[in-house]
Amino acid sequence: IRRPRTPLDLRVGHGGTLDVEAAGVLVVGLGRGCKQLDAFLRGNKAYVADARLGVATDTYDAEGRVTHVADAAHVDAACVRHALPRFVGDIWQRPPPFSAARVDGRRLYEYARAGQAPPVEPRPRCVHVASIDLVSLANPAGGHSFGSRADALPPDVAQYYAGGRRQWAEGRGQPGVGDVLLAFANDPQQARMRLAVRCGGGVYVRSLVHDIGQSVGAAATMLTLVRLAQGVLRLDRDAIAVDDLAYTDRVAAAMRHAEDVCAAA
């Protein structure tokens, strides 16, 4: 959206932010279409999230610094499945420290980046989680496994989350308190799980993962997040790649397709 281009007298907006390291569907409104964005902001969304068990960070994701390391060898599929129902339905959720939620007129991430505590704790919000399913779990230390991580994600997304600053190198060791988790995110010997989440607007999946980690007597941090659907628009059927935004014919075709999908819903 911010890519430099010829100035246009055109209103542009989006129907709900994604975390910096997240991927997937982001509904963009152009012109009169901006009036429909509130429905997407508040509407249903579907996510798939990978999480590391046994470690927590200050941002609740792999970009943050480790705040706590816990033994997760006991965590198996039954343990996680037993914990999930308490996070389904209308639940109270506190925004993570690094988030766009406001306290006393400032974003929480502004306080966090300045090393300051907000003057008051952010208030928990009532949000709706339609379902959480455990897709897979691998815990080599405890000898536990469940499901399969056979990926339904687009190859470029899977490749992004496996490479770059996340690429695992043998001999790197284990993260300690104060280390940035990202370089240790893909250690194949550490416990991790994949969750499928369907929810309404305002849900922080990072917070869900963090709270689930605490509820299973360990810790958990979100490693990856992909939004598979927003409202009736799906990643595998209705999305246009960011690189295609440079081509007006592809943008026009995507707009016509999205209008047809929304009209048929």
Side-chain angles (χ1 to χ4, degrees):
I1 296 174
R2 295 192 182 98
R3 184 176 294 178
R5 60 188 67 234
T6 303
L8 297 175
D9 184 15
L10 182 66
R11 186 182 178 191
V12 179
H14 62 79
T17 58
L18 281 167
D19 287 345
V20 174
E21 285 292 303
V25 178
L26 176 67
V27 176
V28 177
L30 302 176
R32 291 178 297 176
C34 291
K35 295 180 180 180
Q36 303 176 38
L37 292 178
D38 189 62
F40 285 101
L41 180 64
R42 301 176 186 275
N44 296 327
K45 302 172 180 69
Y47 297 94
V48 61
D50 281 356
R52 167 84 176 264
L53 291 162
V55 64
T57 71
D58 55 359
T59 60
Y60 296 2
D61 64 14
E63 292 282 322
R65 295 189 178 275
V66 174
T67 59
H68 178 61
V69 177
D71 181 11
H74 66 283
V75 180
D76 59 10
C79 180
V80 175
R81 285 174 149 179
H82 178 74
L84 293 183
R86 74 190 69 172
F87 299 100
V88 176
D90 292 330
I91 65 171
W92 290 93
Q93 185 183 71
R94 193 182 300 277
F98 282 80
S99 68
R102 292 183 183 272
V103 170
D104 203 23
R106 293 178 66 189
R107 306 281 190 184
L108 284 177
Y109 64 73
E110 293 175 335
Y111 289 107
R113 288 173 180 171
Q116 302 171 346
V120 295
E121 283 289 315
R123 294 179 179 178
R125 302 174 176 183
C126 185
V127 295
H128 183 74
V129 178
S131 66
I132 310 176
D133 295 308
L134 178 65
V135 177
S136 64
L137 180 143
N139 190 345
H144 309 303
S145 64
F146 169 81
S148 170
R149 292 189 69 248
D151 229 315
L153 302 182
D156 57 332
V157 174
Q159 183 178 3
Y160 173 80
Y161 283 135
R165 294 181 297 154
R166 298 168 177 265
Q167 184 143 4
W168 174 247
E170 293 294 338
R172 191 166 279 168
Q174 294 304 307
V177 173
D179 289 334
V180 176
L181 182 60
L182 198 66
F184 306 88
N186 286 324
D187 182 349
Q189 297 306 312
Q190 299 307 309
R192 60 192 295 164
M193 63 181 175
R194 172 168 289 182
L195 301 172
V197 179
R198 293 186 177 275
C199 60
V203 173
Y204 286 96
V205 179
R206 281 181 290 152
S207 289
L208 275 179
V209 168
H210 176 86
D211 295 345
I212 290 168
Q214 290 183 326
S215 73
V216 299
T221 295
M222 190 180 76
L223 301 180
T224 69
L225 180 68
V226 180
R227 185 186 284 163
L228 300 178
Q230 186 170 5
V232 297
L233 300 176
R234 292 175 13 194
L235 178 62
D236 61 346
R237 183 190 66 192
D238 309 314
I240 182 174
V242 172
D243 290 343
D244 287 335
L245 296 177
Y247 302 93
T248 55
D249 57 332
R250 299 178 189 178
V251 173
M255 290 172 62
R256 289 192 297 269
H257 174 78
E259 288 176 350
D260 291 343
V261 172
C262 292

